[in-house]
Amino acid sequence: MVLTPECSVELLTLMVRSRLFEEKIEELTNTKLIHGTTHLAIGQEAVHGGVSPALEKEDWIVTTHRCHGHALAKGSPPENLLAEFFGLRQGVAKGLGGSMHLIDLEQHNAGSSAVVGSSVALAAGIALQLKRMNSTSIVVAFFGDGASSRGIVHETMNMASIWGLPLLFLCEHNYYGMSSKAQDMVSVDSLSTRGVAYSIESCTVDGNDLEAVWAAVKQASTFIRQTGRPYLLEAQTYRLAGHSKNDNCHYRSREEEEEWRKRDPIDLFKERLFERHVLDVESYHQIVSAERENLDSIVRRLIKESDTLSLDEAFGYVYAQEELL
Amino acid sequence: MRVLSYREAIREALYEELARDQNVVLLGQDIGRYGGCFKVTSGLLEAFGPHQVIESPVSEEALVAVGVGSAMVGMRPVVEVMYGDFSTLASDPLINHAAKLHFMSGGALKVPLVYRTPMGGGTGAAAQHTQNLESLFTNIPGLKIVWPATPKDAKGLLKSAIRDPNPVIFLEHKGYDLEGEVPQEEYVTPLGVAEVKKEGHDISVISYGHAVFTALEAADLLEKEGISVEVVDLRSLKPLDTPALRASVKKTGRALVLHEAPLFGGFGGEIVAQIVEDAEIFSHLKGRIRRLGGLEMPTPFNKELESSMVPSVAKVAQTLRSAVKESSYTGKDHR
């Protein structure tokens, strides 16, 4: 499957937006303009860039602590996401969630769990309710190679299989769980082989090839909708960034990073579009400048913003007040 | 008024709520044809079908987390975990997720989930099937916790819990055969409201769950000795009905706080603090506040040893007697 020229440019733009967003977050963290820790997805743009645009708007995603790109790709405005980092009322979680808890129900992004692996079972819960409602929508549960060792991920795979849940297990295999190499921590080379144990169809895709990810998700989501069965897709990629702030990556070599940098997902796709004459160098630079300018102007606005929840208002969110009936 | 067992009262609440709203769904292990470990859900699969009564494999953590996820998008799950002891397995979805998602999402998400599980011993099931673990949950903002003693409260509180937009920990004691009057007509019992189960004027016993019955039996014994005991059943641990327990202690001037969980670090310490932190109530105290709770020991299997684990009627009666006697010599009791 080949993306249309319009769609190609749109998805390349999305990857660029995600990369610049992460670089901006890194800068704001380093200069202490934003509070707390962050987990950047630099190097993994082809996964979120390929997954969410391959879904229907009504399909849900549940993400991880490394969730900025997922939220952007599902369509959340960068401004509301950035406002969350600044702890502002305008933030997607009113400044109560922060970097690891980006959520946007309008975009059917049900948020994330920062307890590694736990989001997978939340996604299964959404899938169970969708199935009960005879919905045609599916749910994508993002998790990483680190989370693949959690018991709850295995429990959920078993349940999704016996119950026939419309759930796409999307493993972003980036080779590191914090500092731990997957080869030291995970019993299989390819995580998609875990599907066999639970009678779940699965495949592995090059997670740095946006078009391949996009096509694999199209195929997997069609399978789920047609059969009512879950699917496990492993996207092999690489976290070029450190795990979180203050990670100097002592646990891996600069040479290894360099090898992966040669397969930078944005460069790979950009070159492909140049070859196909879908895009030229100049228009690519225009895309980058426009995205950068947009982010810069948002940050300039937000830095001056001071509208945050009061402590009393925050207390108001400990318990839901209104009756749901 | 008609009489139902604790088990039947809970089942009737489930039945009525399942019938009222098809988004009310039971999730649990062996809750279908088997009827659940304590037979609470007998007949509900047959009545409502697998769309509303969903049986799960032995996967407590994922099961409760699935409940949380489904509640985020409109389901009103009632998750049963066979034994309260297994709350350790479900603690991540309850504590890190259910309790926090509404807050952490800036109010975007709601988790109207009920977590039903039985606590307590006397069953010869040894140390991993007899604990009272309510204190695992009482220190977690975002959770509501109820523990009805009587069939009437069990039914009314469960209906409220299911209709509440927040996660509710619904604890059950194992006296499933205990009978009591339950109104025929529709009713709900509000969360966060204590009830005086027996009025008295010499001393207040503040309790919840199964220990309420121990308190009532001890109160009956003391009545014959001329000591009038008031028994306050908290019913909800969170929100805690502090005004009600303070009002009782203000009236009697003496208090015994009673539960079956181990005393040290137990919820009783919080109740005592709620009483003595109030300057006016403190000034009304005629003597020191007493506490009785479970022993600092895992539950032994041996029947005799197990029966010593939680406060007996005799122990409670003796403590009440000595509390009233001791404080009557202080000269403050001029009632």
Side-chain angles (χ1 to χ4, degrees):
Chain A
M1 272 198 281
V2 175
L3 286 158
T4 63
E6 297 76 31
C7 194
S8 300
V9 174
E10 205 177 298
L11 296 193
L12 178 66
T13 307
L14 177 60
M15 286 202 287
V16 168
R17 183 179 306 148
S18 175
R19 173 70 56 92
L20 295 173
F21 188 94
E22 298 292 57
E23 288 173 355
K24 181 57 75 180
I25 294 301
E26 192 169 28
E27 175 196 321
L28 292 167
T29 310
N30 290 341
T31 52
K32 302 198 187 313
L33 284 167
I34 54 177
H35 173 60
T37 192
T38 52
H39 303 81
L40 308 178
I42 292 173
Q44 302 180 200
E45 291 86 353
V47 186
H48 50 259
V51 173
S52 289
L55 301 171
E56 301 296 326
K57 181 138 176 43
E58 303 300 307
D59 292 336
W60 287 89
I61 62 166
V62 185
T63 80
T64 72
H65 56 291
R66 203 174 301 286
C67 60
H68 316 162
H70 299 134
L72 280 170
K74 199 72 172 81
S76 292
E79 174 148 2
N80 295 352
L81 299 176
L82 276 164
E84 185 63 25
F85 289 78
F86 281 96
L88 297 169
R89 182 190 301 274
Q90 191 198 335
V92 286
K94 299 188 169 65
L96 296 174
S99 157
M100 295 190 277
H101 301 291
L102 303 178
I103 181 171
D104 192 341
L105 295 185
E106 215 172 291
Q107 307 299 334
H108 280 213
N109 174 359
S112 60
S113 172
V115 182
V116 169
S118 292
S119 50
V120 172
L122 300 182
I126 297 175
L128 176 63
Q129 178 66 348
L130 291 179
K131 182 186 166 88
R132 291 184 67 254
M133 291 159 64
N134 296 318
S135 164
T136 55
S137 298
I138 70 165
V139 187
V140 178
F142 285 98
F143 66 108
D145 48 293
S148 76
S149 299
R150 278 288 307 282
I152 194 169
V153 173
H154 292 264
E155 290 184 353
T156 305
M157 285 189 180
N158 182 54
M159 275 176 168
S161 181
I162 59 168
W163 289 345
L165 297 184
L167 183 59
L168 175 57
F169 293 92
L170 201 301
C171 180
E172 295 183 276
H173 185 170
N174 65 11
Y175 291 91
Y176 286 90
M178 203 156 148
S179 70
S180 304
K181 284 185 199 297
Q183 68 192 57
D184 298 333
M185 296 296 160
V186 179
S187 63
V188 290
D189 292 330
S190 165
L191 279 159
S192 65
T193 59
R194 292 264 169 91
V196 178
Y198 304 103
S199 309
I200 294 178
E201 287 289 319
S202 64
C203 83
T204 297
V205 67
D206 177 355
N208 280 22
D209 181 341
L210 178 123
E211 214 159 17
V213 172
W214 184 85
V217 173
K218 279 275 178 206
Q219 195 186 355
S221 59
T222 303
F223 172 87
I224 295 167
R225 281 183 239 276
Q226 282 175 353
T227 63
R229 299 279 309 156
Y231 193 95
L232 167 60
L233 178 62
E234 175 196 28
Q236 296 185 337
T237 180
Y238 190 79
R239 190 193 73 209
L240 286 170
H243 164 70
S244 60
K245 76 169 182 182
N246 302 329
D247 178 2
N248 41 26
C249 296
H250 280 331
Y251 46 83
R252 66 187 189 192
S253 70
R254 301 296 81 82
E255 292 72 27
E256 177 186 298
E257 291 172 357
E258 214 36 60
E259 280 309 302
W260 277 96
R261 206 162 269 127
K262 287 179 194 158
R263 300 200 68 250
D264 183 311
I266 296 177
D267 291 342
L268 286 183
F269 193 55
K270 178 184 74 182
E271 295 299 331
R272 193 177 296 168
L273 297 192
F274 290 165
E275 279 165 29
R276 286 185 195 157
H277 303 291
V278 168
L279 194 75
D280 57 28
V281 178
E282 195 185 336
S283 12
Y284 174 71
H285 287 310
Q286 279 166 3
I287 289 171
V288 175
S289 315
E291 289 296 323
R292 179 168 285 135
E293 178 43 39
N294 184 41
L295 277 176
D296 285 344
S297 70
I298 292 170
V299 169
R300 279 196 298 272
R301 272 201 305 281
L302 293 177
I303 278 178
K304 287 184 232 148
E305 188 59 65
S306 59
D307 185 15
T308 59
L309 293 192
S310 68
L311 191 56
D312 276 349
E313 285 176 301
F315 269 119
Y317 291 107
V318 178
Y319 292 96
Q321 304 301 328
E322 62 267 52
E323 191 42 64
L324 280 171
L325 293 182
Chain B
M1 204 186 282
R2 74 193 169 125
V3 167
L4 291 183
S5 70
Y6 192 62
R7 173 187 294 107
E8 288 165 339
I10 296 168
R11 184 186 302 144
E12 192 168 89
L14 293 172
Y15 189 99
E16 289 177 11
E17 293 303 295
L18 286 162
R20 183 185 58 80
D21 179 359
Q22 63 159 353
N23 276 322
V24 174
V25 173
L26 307 189
L27 293 165
Q29 293 164 28
D30 303 294
I31 59 170
R33 288 188 208 293
Y34 192 87
C37 191
F38 288 92
K39 306 286 183 204
V40 172
T41 56
S42 293
L44 297 179
L45 173 65
E46 291 79 357
F48 295 96
H51 200 62
Q52 277 184 285
V53 180
I54 300 176
E55 294 200 271
S56 145
V58 186
S59 301
E60 286 85 354
E61 186 185 355
L63 174 67
V64 177
V66 161
V68 174
S70 66
M72 286 160 34
V73 289
M75 197 195 278
R76 309 201 65 124
V78 182
V79 187
E80 175 180 307
V81 165
M82 276 191 192
Y83 283 89
D85 307 72
F86 310 156
S87 298
T88 51
L89 299 168
S91 59
D92 176 66
L94 292 172
I95 293 174
N96 287 326
H97 295 87
K100 295 176 174 58
L101 289 173
H102 180 66
F103 184 85
M104 218 161 55
S105 65
L109 296 173
K110 290 189 181 69
V111 185
L113 166 133
V114 177
Y115 173 78
R116 280 186 50 236
T117 197
M119 298 269 189
T123 49
Q128 295 171 335
H129 288 72
T130 54
Q131 293 167 92
N132 292 282
L133 294 177
E134 66 273 23
S135 289
L136 278 187
F137 301 115
T138 50
N139 203 220
I140 309 298
L143 294 179
K144 294 186 177 182
I145 302 146
V146 300
W147 198 342
T150 64
K152 182 184 172 191
D153 289 344
K155 183 180 174 188
L157 284 170
L158 184 50
K159 288 173 70 104
S160 289
I162 291 171
R163 298 176 191 191
D164 197 274
N166 295 286
V168 181
I169 308 294
F170 187 89
L171 303 177
E172 298 166 12
H173 59 64
K174 288 173 187 155
Y176 285 109
D177 293 322
L178 282 169
E179 292 186 329
E181 292 186 337
V182 177
Q184 188 84 53
E185 63 277 11
E186 163 90 19
Y187 71 98
V188 293
T189 307
L191 307 181
V193 180
E195 186 179 68
V196 174
K197 285 286 196 282
K198 179 188 172 301
E199 295 211 19
H201 49 72
D202 290 323
I203 185 165
S204 304
V205 183
I206 296 160
S207 191
Y208 55 87
H210 185 261
V212 170
F213 296 108
T214 314
L216 287 169
E217 276 190 57
D220 281 347
L221 278 179
L222 293 189
E223 199 76 40
K224 292 165 192 144
E225 301 171 19
I227 298 173
S228 167
V229 179
E230 176 145 305
V231 177
V232 181
D233 178 2
L234 292 178
R235 304 197 291 193
S236 293
L237 306 190
K238 205 166 191 171
L240 181 65
D241 191 352
T242 302
L245 66 93
R246 282 181 178 166
S248 178
V249 179
K250 186 178 171 185
K251 180 172 82 169
T252 64
R254 301 183 185 92
L256 164 65
V257 176
L258 172 70
H259 56 57
E260 296 192 348
L263 192 62
F264 188 89
F267 191 64
E270 178 61 35
I271 299 171
V272 173
Q274 293 287 340
I275 297 168
V276 300
E277 276 175 350
D278 184 280
E280 192 200 349
I281 307 300
F282 186 73
S283 71
H284 277 81
L285 287 179
K286 296 166 187 164
R288 63 194 168 97
I289 296 177
R290 310 296 186 100
R291 279 192 302 158
L292 282 176
L295 301 182
E296 188 70 7
M297 179 168 69
T299 309
F301 165 69
N302 175 285
K303 195 174 179 185
E304 295 306 311
L305 293 175
E306 186 190 11
S307 68
S308 309
M309 271 301 289
V310 297
S312 63
V313 173
K315 182 83 181 276
V316 172
Q318 183 48 41
T319 307
L320 290 168
R321 230 177 255 126
S322 75
V324 172
K325 201 172 157 191
E326 180 186 280
S327 58
S328 296
Y329 298 130
T330 63
K332 287 173 78 180
D333 190 6
H334 303 302
R335 180 179 44 78

